[in-house]
Amino acid sequence: MGSFEIFVIRALLSGLFAFFLCRFFFKQTPAPKVVGLAVLMLGLAYLLEYVRKRNQGGSDES
């Protein structure tokens, strides 16, 4: 799977999780805040991947 496909999957999942989390905990959350949470979650996914790869000491493609 290429990096673009992984990005699309992560973006869709972060959007879905952000939507359901905001609707579950904060009923009247406006759409820009949901999008902001989705962007934050997507950024954290890439940050954690970077930290994991850095700690392993290689460029693992899996």
Side-chain angles (χ1 to χ4, degrees):
M1 201 177 321
S3 59
F4 180 72
E5 288 88 3
I6 292 173
F7 172 76
V8 170
I9 291 170
R10 286 180 179 169
L12 289 174
L13 286 175
S14 66
L16 285 173
F17 284 133
F19 176 77
F20 286 120
L21 283 173
C22 285
R23 294 298 171 201
F24 184 72
F25 289 111
F26 310 105
K27 303 286 189 224
Q28 301 297 324
T29 305
K33 287 189 178 183
V34 175
V35 171
L37 180 61
V39 169
L40 176 70
M41 292 171 71
L42 184 63
L44 285 174
Y46 278 101
L47 177 68
L48 292 175
E49 179 186 11
Y50 168 76
V51 169
R52 181 182 61 87
K53 283 185 179 182
R54 187 188 63 180
N55 287 341
Q56 287 180 351
S59 61
D60 188 14
E61 288 280 332
S62 59

